């Protein structure tokens, strides 16, 4: 069979199986096995299933994933989110829309110690949404702000999404993590400026708050966040300076978060084991998807699909602009229906060869993809962060309010995406400095 | 208690044991990794074989909870279409999903078993400063995948025995 047809057929079958409710990891692995068996033979397929899962799960570089998860879990147990929010709110309380800004700044701060956007969204719903409701802020915009701010965790290091992209593509995980710093800060800036502009036209979305804080109170709240800020600085700085690989930085970050929790007496033995167990479960589910993704890559390579795509892209004389528009279209459509991280894992095996064929910077492309993943988690109907906010709000926000409220933030995300697309240096400057 | 009930209780314990052991592996990874970083930074003395130990702990931490993940339906799936299907079609799709999972995890477990046997036959050891055998690790990986396969089998049997009990609901 023609390799292009075989590969396309395999991808179509995989999407059909996913649509029929098969777990994404199982769909990818099943199609990979069938593809390898039909194209190369049973021995090859069994060999891939024998070696790939074990070799993938024994890579030191991948230790970063559970350790970044654990760091976030410990930071959550330690009440870091509340402290960050209190600090940000006290600092910004005099501005109109202060509760929105506080949520954005605190979520960005939490993103520096946690790689999970869903955790961020659900936690900030519990902390900041009641305050927004108390001050009669627009519920939809407030809930949208929380859901969208949660996505910072995918861009700002330590980002699990970046590590996954690095694993699937083989790009430097350290460089990818560092590449997310400036785009993450840019996203925060776009949100803040965008909200300011919106509030000029719709001041009723954010009535002035009556809370005012003295400098002593602001300083007091800062005292509670300095330790975690230092920990985030050590982890990110360690990766940037090359002193620590991301995996080592992850273990140090997790241990540091644990020590902070213990010193503050906020970690019971039960919390400790619960965090570890949940990290184990999440890691197992994620790694099974990654194993599926790598098997899919191996199958597409074995059937000759990757070579054919590369040739096709070169023959079609596709410009990078056309290609990126095509990728945006794929991700926006798939992102509406498929979990964002799974979407990344199942699409990169056939998109990445084209990136290489077009001689695009893979780190910059990774940032664009992560931005699209961020958009996917807030795009209905399968926007995980939207569900996280709805479920954590306990019914105080209606689905239609959130779906309306998320729209401005999707627009902000697309504005940021265009800026990142047009100015690749924002993504590549720090990695180039880092790699010398 | 019936044989099925005893089996259920036993499988439940095995899945819990897998998650608990995974938690221990993660805790060890954190301790070893941190000691290694601090040892290098302050004493210029890394923990011997820390990298190799972390690698094998990672494999165990990933594979051991697979049974529990399937038992609690934490695998990521897209079920919007599935929920809209009429009962017979949904039942068939769910049965196919369980069968596919059984096959995939079964092949992974079988091949991990093959890997364990070949590792055992050559007495494979880690190429590290402090050396340790690799076949127990591979055996644990095979065990984790085999336990998950058993869970798929359990759910598949239940799916046929209790056709109106949806496997997409937890603890089916």
């Amino acid at each position: 069979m023609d390799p292009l047809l075989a590969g396309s057929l395999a991808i179509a079958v995989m999407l059909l199986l996913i649509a029929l409710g098969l777990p994404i990891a199982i769909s990818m692995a099943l199609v990979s096995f069938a593809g390898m068996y039909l194209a190369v033979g049973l021995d090859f397929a069994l060999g891939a299933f024998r070696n790939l899962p074990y070799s993938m799960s024994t890579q030191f570089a991948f230790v970063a994933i559970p350790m970044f998860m654990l760091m976030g879990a410990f930071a959550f147990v330690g009440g870091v989110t509340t402290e960050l929010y209190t600090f940000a709110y006290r600092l910004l309380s005099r501005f109109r829309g202060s509760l929105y800004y506080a949520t954005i700044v605190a979520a960005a701060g939490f993103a520096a110690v946690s790689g999970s956007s869903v955790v961020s969204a659900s936690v900030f719903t519990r902390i900041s949404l009641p305050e927004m409701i108390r001050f009669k802020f627009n519920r939809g915009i407030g809930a949208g702000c929380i859901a969208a701010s949660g996505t910072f965790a995918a861009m700002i290091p330590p980002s699990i999404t970046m590590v996954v992209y690095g694993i699937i593509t083989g790009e430097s995980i350290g460089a990818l993590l560092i590449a997310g710093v400036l785009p993450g800060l840019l996203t925060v800036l776009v949100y803040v400026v965008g909200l300011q502009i919106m509030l000029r036209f719709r001041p009723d979305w954010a009535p002035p708050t009556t809370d005012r804080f003295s400098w002593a109170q602001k300083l007091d709240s800062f005292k509670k966040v300095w330790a975690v800020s230092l920990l985030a600085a050590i982890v990110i700085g360690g990766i940037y300076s090359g002193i620590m690989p991301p995996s080592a930085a992850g273990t140090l970050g997790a241990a540091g978060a644990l020590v902070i929790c213990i010193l503050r007496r906020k970690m019971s033995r039960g919390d400790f084991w619960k965090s570890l167990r949940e990290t184990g479960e999440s890691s197992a589910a994620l790694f099974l998807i990654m194993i599926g993704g790598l098997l899919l890559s191996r199958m597409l390579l074995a059937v000759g699909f990757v070579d054919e795509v590369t040739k096709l892209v070169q023959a079609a004389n596709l410009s990078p602009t056309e290609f990126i528009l095509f990728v945006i279209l794929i991700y926006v459509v798939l992102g509406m229906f498929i979990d964002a991280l799974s979407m990344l894992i199942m699409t990169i095996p056939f998109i990445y060869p084209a990136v290489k064929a077009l001689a695009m910077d893979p780190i910059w492309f990774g940032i664009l993809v992560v931005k699209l993943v961020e958009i996917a988690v807030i795009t209905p109907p399968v926007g995980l962060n939207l569900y996280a906010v709805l479920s954590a709000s306990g019914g105080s926000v209606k689905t239609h309010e959130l779906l309306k409220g998320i729209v401005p933030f999707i627009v902000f995300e697309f504005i940021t995406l265009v800026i990142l697309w047009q100015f690749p240096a924002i993504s590549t400057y720090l990695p180039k400095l880092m790699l010398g | 208690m019936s044989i099925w009930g005893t089996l259920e209780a036993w499988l439940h314990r095995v899945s819990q044991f897998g998650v608990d052991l995974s938690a221990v592996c993660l805790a060890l990874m954190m301790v070893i990794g941190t000691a290694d970083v601090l040892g290098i930074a302050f004493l210029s003395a890394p923990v011997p074989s820390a990298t190799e130990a972390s690698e094998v702990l990672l494999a165990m931490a990933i594979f051991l909870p697979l049974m529990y993940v399937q038992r609690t339906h934490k695998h990521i799936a897209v079920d919007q279409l599935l929920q809209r299907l009429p009962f017979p079609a949904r039942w068939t799709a769910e049965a196919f999903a369980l069968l596919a999972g059984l096959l995939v995890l079964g092949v992974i477990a079988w091949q991990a078993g093959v890997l364990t046997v070949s590792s055992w036959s050559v007495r494979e050891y880690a190429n590290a400063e402090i050396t340790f055998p690799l076949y127990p690790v591979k055996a644990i990986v095979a065990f984790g995948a085999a336990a998950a396969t058993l869970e798929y089998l359990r759910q598949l049997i239940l799916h046929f025995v209790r056709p109106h009990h949806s496997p997409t609901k937890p603890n089916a």
Side-chain angles (χ1 to χ4, degrees):
Chain A
M1 193 189 280
D2 172 49
L4 208 57
L5 182 65
S8 307
L9 202 63
I11 292 164
V13 172
M14 177 186 75
L15 290 174
L16 180 71
L17 294 178
I18 289 170
L20 283 174
L22 255 76
I24 289 167
I26 301 298
S27 307
M28 287 192 287
L30 190 68
V31 165
S32 306
F33 188 84
M36 285 188 267
Y37 170 63
L38 293 172
V40 193
L42 185 62
D43 284 348
F44 183 86
L46 290 178
F49 271 65
R50 182 163 57 244
N51 298 313
L52 214 143
Y54 181 76
S55 66
M56 207 211 112
S57 57
T58 50
Q59 296 277 324
F60 181 66
F62 306 165
V63 167
I65 291 182
M67 288 299 113
F68 286 159
M69 283 184 184
L70 198 56
M71 184 180 171
F74 286 156
F76 168 60
V77 171
V80 167
T81 40
T82 311
E83 287 163 358
L84 281 168
Y85 181 78
T86 306
F87 171 62
Y89 180 53
R90 287 185 180 181
L91 207 63
L92 301 164
S93 61
R94 68 190 182 88
F95 297 103
R96 182 180 282 276
S98 54
L99 292 168
Y100 298 141
Y101 301 136
T103 303
I104 292 167
V105 171
F110 186 58
V113 287
S114 167
S116 170
S117 65
V118 175
V119 170
S120 180
S122 58
V123 170
F124 281 107
T125 302
R126 291 193 196 100
I127 300 169
S128 61
L129 193 65
E131 290 296 297
M132 289 180 187
I133 291 170
R134 181 162 75 97
F135 284 107
K136 298 192 169 25
F137 274 47
N138 183 293
R139 288 176 193 225
I141 297 292
C145 176
I146 295 165
S149 302
T151 67
F152 298 158
M155 188 66 86
I156 296 172
S159 156
I160 291 160
T161 315
M162 291 286 188
V163 180
V164 169
Y165 177 84
I167 290 171
I168 305 286
T169 61
E171 295 298 329
S172 160
I173 292 171
L176 279 164
L177 288 169
I178 293 304
V181 174
L182 293 181
L185 295 176
L186 174 74
T187 312
V188 172
L189 187 69
V190 170
Y191 274 32
V192 169
V193 173
L195 269 171
Q196 258 184 348
I197 294 169
M198 280 196 340
L199 292 178
R200 288 223 176 128
F201 294 102
R202 297 296 303 266
D204 57 305
W205 282 356
T209 55
T210 48
D211 292 340
R212 290 293 176 268
F213 301 96
S214 65
W215 278 104
Q217 286 172 306
K218 287 174 188 171
L219 198 67
D220 181 55
S221 59
F222 174 71
K223 280 181 194 162
K224 289 177 180 157
V225 296
W226 76 266
V228 173
S229 308
L230 183 68
L231 182 67
I234 290 171
V235 169
I236 299 170
I239 297 169
Y240 175 75
S241 61
I243 294 171
M244 292 180 274
S247 296
T251 54
L252 189 68
L258 177 64
V259 168
I260 291 170
C261 289
I262 291 170
L263 290 178
R264 291 176 175 182
R265 299 181 181 187
K266 283 190 171 172
M267 173 79 74
S268 67
R269 197 175 292 179
D271 289 333
F272 173 70
W273 287 110
K274 186 170 175 259
S275 301
L276 283 166
R277 280 194 199 97
E278 285 176 356
T279 302
E281 291 165 31
S282 306
S283 302
L286 180 58
F287 268 82
L288 197 62
I289 295 177
M290 290 197 295
I291 288 170
L294 287 179
L295 285 166
L296 183 71
S297 293
R298 182 72 59 90
M299 184 273 286
L300 292 175
L301 204 65
V303 300
F305 179 79
V306 172
D307 285 342
E308 286 300 312
V309 165
T310 308
K311 281 184 206 158
L312 192 73
V313 169
Q314 284 164 346
N317 221 2
L318 208 64
S319 71
T321 304
E322 289 166 334
F323 175 71
I324 288 174
L325 282 172
F326 174 66
V327 170
I328 290 172
L329 185 71
I330 289 181
Y331 276 44
V332 167
V333 173
L334 281 182
M336 287 180 186
F337 304 101
I338 296 174
D339 159 65
L341 208 52
S342 310
M343 173 182 78
L344 177 82
I345 296 168
M346 56 188 257
T347 51
I348 287 298
F350 56 88
I351 286 178
Y352 186 69
V355 173
K356 297 294 266 185
L358 288 166
M360 292 163 72
D361 186 318
I363 301 282
W364 168 63
F365 184 77
I367 294 294
L368 296 185
V369 163
V370 171
K371 181 49 74 186
L372 285 164
V373 164
E374 284 186 343
I375 294 170
V377 295
I378 53 170
T379 314
V382 185
L384 272 191
N385 277 26
L386 302 180
Y387 291 124
V389 169
L390 281 174
S391 110
S393 72
S396 59
V397 176
K398 301 281 173 283
T399 308
H400 70 271
E401 289 175 320
L402 176 58
L403 294 185
K404 248 198 230 171
I406 197 67
V407 174
F409 297 94
I410 295 177
V411 174
F412 297 162
E413 283 289 328
F414 272 105
I415 291 170
T416 317
L417 176 70
V418 172
I419 296 172
L420 293 171
W421 177 7
Q422 295 306 314
F423 301 97
I426 298 169
S427 311
T428 57
Y429 176 69
L430 285 181
K432 276 182 184 159
L433 266 186
M434 172 188 162
L435 299 171
Chain B
M1 196 186 277
S2 65
I3 295 173
W4 180 257
T6 311
L7 198 65
E8 282 262 353
W10 183 78
L11 287 174
H12 178 69
R13 274 202 294 274
V14 172
S15 75
Q16 288 285 353
F17 172 72
V19 183
D20 290 347
L21 211 56
S22 166
V24 173
C25 291
L26 288 169
L28 284 173
M29 272 160 66
M30 181 180 72
V31 171
I32 293 170
T34 305
D36 190 46
V37 171
L38 297 178
I40 292 169
F42 298 111
L43 306 168
S44 299
V47 173
S49 306
T51 304
E52 293 78 6
S54 297
E55 286 171 351
V56 296
L57 286 168
L58 177 65
M60 293 192 282
I62 292 165
F63 277 89
L64 283 170
L66 281 178
M67 183 186 197
Y68 186 82
V69 169
Q70 176 56 28
R71 199 172 179 86
T72 50
H73 300 274
K74 285 184 177 161
H75 283 304
I76 298 166
V78 180
D79 62 355
Q80 288 110 320
L81 177 65
L82 193 71
Q83 300 302 338
R84 284 175 176 75
L85 292 176
F87 177 74
R90 194 173 73 234
W91 185 89
T92 310
E94 286 170 345
F96 180 67
L98 291 171
L99 187 65
L102 179 74
L103 287 173
V104 167
L105 264 305
V107 172
I108 292 176
W110 168 32
Q111 291 307 309
V114 172
L115 211 58
T116 307
V117 171
S118 68
S119 175
W120 163 258
S121 62
V122 295
R123 301 289 189 274
E124 187 186 13
Y125 275 67
N127 187 14
E129 202 177 329
I130 298 175
T131 190
F132 52 87
L134 283 177
Y135 43 87
V137 179
K138 292 183 177 177
I140 290 172
V141 167
F143 168 77
T149 310
L150 261 182
E151 179 57 28
Y152 270 105
L153 182 64
R154 183 191 78 92
Q155 291 184 7
L156 190 64
I157 292 169
L158 277 178
H159 194 60
F160 279 91
V161 175
R162 300 182 205 158
H164 289 275
H165 196 103
S166 171
T168 53
K169 287 177 187 162
N171 300 319

